[in-house]
Amino acid sequence: MKIILLEDVKSLGKKGEIVNVSDGYARNMILPKKLGVEATGKNLNDLKLQNQHAQKVAEENLANAQAFAEQLKDIKVEVKMKSGKDGRTFGSISTKEIAEAAKKQLSIELDKKKMLLKDPIKSLGTYEVQIKLHPKVTGTFKVHVSEE
């Protein structure tokens, strides 16, 4: 019997796949636990429509991420920090402080977990920070660290 999986099943496959299983396994395991439905014409058509919708949403998310990456190029976030001799700051500036400063100054929500900083910023100056906006899109913006 052909089954369309509604959930990931460890021994069979992933959600949305069409698999061939024995009739008994389908009747006693897959269908009662609502792990899948029989692959009828209507169900196959529904699966096709769901896949088309998911693809359209993914394309829109990619386009939005690319547009936001273009906007980020012109953004400069100002972070103030106490510093000592030679422009070295007391402590370091992490992605958390950068995200908070961007929210206060520009009203932009940036996810601190998606910012890519090789090392924490420990001196005054201007730095480029990358942020992962989408699995295929990485944006870059500037952070200017100045003395309080």
Side-chain angles (χ1 to χ4, degrees):
M1 175 183 285
K2 287 192 180 230
I3 297 288
I4 300 171
L5 295 177
L6 299 176
E7 303 282 332
D8 290 352
V9 180
K10 192 173 186 180
S11 60
L12 288 179
K14 303 257 183 217
K15 178 181 176 180
E17 287 184 5
I18 300 170
V19 293
N20 235 347
V21 295
S22 67
D23 291 349
Y25 187 62
R27 272 194 307 272
N28 296 323
M29 179 72 175
I30 302 294
L31 298 175
K33 291 188 177 182
K34 299 194 183 341
L35 297 174
V37 292
E38 192 173 347
T40 61
K42 179 192 178 299
N43 290 339
L44 287 171
N45 192 31
D46 289 346
L47 176 66
K48 182 180 173 186
L49 291 174
Q50 286 175 352
N51 289 341
Q52 287 175 348
H53 178 69
Q55 184 177 1
K56 183 179 177 186
V57 168
E59 288 172 0
E60 288 175 1
N61 288 341
L62 178 62
N64 290 341
Q66 289 171 337
F68 190 58
E70 285 297 317
Q71 291 176 354
L72 277 179
K73 286 181 182 178
D74 303 328
I75 288 179
K76 190 172 192 178
V77 178
E78 185 78 28
V79 180
K80 295 192 182 283
M81 195 81 177
K82 288 185 179 180
S83 65
K85 294 180 181 177
D86 304 327
R88 302 271 306 162
T89 60
F90 294 125
S92 63
I93 297 172
S94 66
T95 56
K96 181 180 178 183
E97 283 111 6
I98 295 170
E100 289 171 357
K103 186 174 182 178
K104 282 182 187 175
Q105 295 168 17
L106 307 167
S107 301
I108 295 176
E109 291 281 336
L110 296 177
D111 190 354
K112 67 181 183 181
K113 295 175 185 168
K114 294 184 179 183
M115 286 187 209
L116 306 173
L117 267 183
K118 292 178 183 101
D119 298 313
I121 300 170
K122 295 185 178 186
S123 59
L124 301 177
T126 303
Y127 300 89
E128 285 196 357
V129 177
Q130 292 184 331
I131 185 167
K132 199 113 172 109
L133 301 171
H134 186 271
K136 297 178 182 177
V137 180
T138 302
T140 303
F141 65 98
K142 289 185 171 49
V143 175
H144 180 71
V145 182
S146 61
E147 192 170 357
E148 255 183 8

